[in-house]
Amino acid sequence: MQRIILNNRPWAIGLLWTPPLHHFAVNRKVLLEHALEHGGPELDVMARYHPTHVGTPKGQEGFGASGGIWKDWRKARSLATCLDVPASFLGVFPLVTPEPIWWVHCRMDGFFPKKGDQVFGSEAAALEACALLERVSGIAPVRLDSAEAGAAWLSERCRLSTADLWVRDRGRLLNLHQTFSGTALLRAAVVLGVTVCIAGTAIGLNHHIRRAEYEAARQAQLAKIQRQKDLRERPESFFDMAWQAAPSATDTARQCLPALMDLPLASNGWDLGKVVCSGRELALEWRHEAGGDFIHLPDNGRLDAKNSKLAHSTRPLPPLAQRAKRPDGPGTDHNMLVRQDAASGLLSQIAQDTGTKLELRFAAQARKTIDKVAVTAPWHVGSWSLGEVPDLLMGEGEGGLFAMLAEVPGLTIESIDYDGSWSVKGKIYAVH
């Protein structure tokens, strides 16, 4: 017998069901003898089942072993007796408790066969038992592929109404080592009657709350199943497609090149040593020459904290009035990207055609863990740079370097640099 939790309620699965009796016995000795006859001395708890699909007053007893710890089972009910399925049914359900288990449940014409409520520790054993029951009953089995799907399927079909809880006491486990005397039963009936009267109002008020909680739990379970399905089938949704929001190579050139070409090469005795354009601003580095003015620094700059022979300044760039639409931009997916070897080939061809020096290195695919599921990005990110770019190629027109770069899917430009010669740096995204 195994204990599981569904809809925030404990359930017992894996009971041994006996053939229907002519009447329900209430004598502890008779029940223990019945359990010993069909199972063994370890069977010390029992659940009763009233068939609802067939026109007969007969019922069944299902026996289980508590392991001597009755308090763990006091609030549990038999899941088999409370499941809303057809009179003839066969199913295999993977579950986690917290170890993986597989529950095989079978009904034949409204009754449970002896092995119609079994728990297995391996999927192979469960499927073998299911195949045997299928041959005997001729019932096509219901099979679930994951523990999340199994729990959701059972949660949706496991129902306990107010009458089930307070009147019929459906599926409750009874301790066979307790004495069922007439006095005890009468006292229990009196207590139950008083409790029902007192709880009637509370049940009515609580009914809608319970339904809302159940529906919220069911929706949360379904949402979790869908999220885990998305994690497996659509991993790209959980990673930033940074290239989609980046400006095209031609837009970066339109943003940077006019400002770069308008820079002075010297100011107040300082030479322009290096400039980097990120598309948002220019970052300038000035180098002191003999006679340079330390009071009036170039371009309202500031001295370097470690080297007073260097000064730094920045110039903001105005935003572009209109940006070109990337073919692999928002609204597309990662399937617009080329393979890693193709991306390397495109950049190598551009470097050869322009006489520039290419450096390219791809990193491993990004990984993260979400809801205990390992997710891997379906693309690689490469860092590239083209150095020693000729002055003639530093233009915005068609046929230039930036027009070529704009044709490469997944390519972004992070900066245009000048330190005596031109270089362009960026990232490129490519699928495996």
Side-chain angles (χ1 to χ4, degrees), residues 220-238:
Q221 185 73 16
L222 292 175
K224 182 178 180 180
I225 292 172
Q226 183 60 46
R227 180 172 174 82
Q228 292 188 337
K229 181 180 179 182
D230 290 342
L231 286 169
R232 292 189 294 268
E233 298 179 0
R234 301 180 61 249
E236 68 276 5
S237 302
F238 300 89

Side-chain angles (χ1 to χ4, degrees), residues 101-387:
I101 62 171
W102 283 261
W103 181 45
V104 176
H105 175 50
C106 180
R107 296 184 187 186
M108 297 181 187
D109 295 326
F111 291 97
F112 303 141
K114 184 176 181 180
K115 295 187 177 181
D117 186 1
Q118 297 184 83
V119 178
F120 297 92
S122 72
E123 185 179 16
L127 293 178
E128 182 179 351
C130 179
L132 177 60
L133 287 169
E134 183 181 2
R135 288 195 297 270
V136 172
S137 66
I139 304 171
V142 173
R143 287 185 56 187
L144 281 301
D145 295 328
S146 66
E148 294 83 6
W153 195 96
L154 292 172
S155 297
E156 201 170 337
R157 290 160 178 81
C158 182
R159 302 183 179 91
L160 276 176
S161 66
T162 302
D164 290 331
L165 286 167
W166 301 99
V167 180
R168 290 187 287 269
D169 209 21
R170 186 178 180 185
R172 182 177 292 281
L173 298 184
L174 304 176
N175 188 343
L176 294 179
H177 293 295
Q178 291 179 348
T179 301
F180 301 99
S181 65
T183 303
L185 291 176
L186 179 60
R187 186 183 301 114
V190 172
V191 172
L192 178 61
V194 174
T195 303
V196 169
C197 292
I198 295 174
T201 303
I203 292 172
L205 295 175
N206 212 26
H207 176 68
H208 294 292
I209 296 176
R210 293 173 72 89
R211 283 183 62 88
E213 290 176 346
Y214 167 76
E215 183 61 23
R218 191 177 72 87
Q219 293 296 334
Q221 185 73 16
L222 292 175
K224 182 178 180 180
I225 292 172
Q226 183 60 46
R227 180 172 174 82
Q228 292 188 337
K229 181 180 179 182
D230 290 342
L231 286 169
R232 292 189 294 268
E233 298 179 0
R234 301 180 61 249
E236 68 276 5
S237 302
F238 300 89
F239 293 88
D240 181 23
M241 300 184 186
W243 72 88
Q244 293 189 342
S248 68
T250 51
D251 277 353
T252 303
R254 288 171 54 212
Q255 189 83 7
C256 290
L257 293 182
L260 287 169
M261 299 306 176
D262 195 41
L263 288 174
L265 297 179
S267 176
N268 295 337
W270 295 72
D271 289 340
L272 181 63
K274 182 178 181 180
V275 58
V276 176
C277 179
S278 65
R280 296 179 299 276
E281 64 177 14
L282 299 180
L284 298 92
E285 179 182 280
W286 302 88
R287 297 171 185 170
H288 182 263
E289 295 295 332
D293 191 340
F294 282 97
I295 303 300
H296 301 94
L297 297 177
D299 206 40
N300 296 316
R302 65 186 185 282
L303 289 176
D304 188 278
K306 297 181 179 180
N307 185 354
S308 61
K309 296 291 186 178
L310 296 176
H312 303 278
S313 63
T314 59
R315 290 188 181 186
L317 296 176
L320 289 177
Q322 186 174 1
R323 286 173 53 173
K325 182 178 179 181
R326 292 182 64 106
D328 53 3
T332 66
D333 57 26
H334 70 288
N335 293 316
M336 295 288 293
L337 302 177
V338 298
R339 291 170 54 87
Q340 181 178 336
D341 54 353
S344 300
L346 289 171
L347 285 175
S348 298
Q349 188 63 45
I350 291 175
Q352 177 177 281
D353 293 344
T354 57
T356 55
K357 182 179 179 181
L358 172 67
E359 291 184 8
L360 173 62
R361 177 174 295 178
F362 279 95
Q365 292 166 280
R367 291 179 171 83
K368 60 175 68 172
T369 300
I370 304 173
D371 293 342
K372 299 182 180 180
V373 177
V375 188
T376 302
W379 55 75
H380 294 268
V381 183
S383 298
W384 62 270
S385 68
L386 290 173

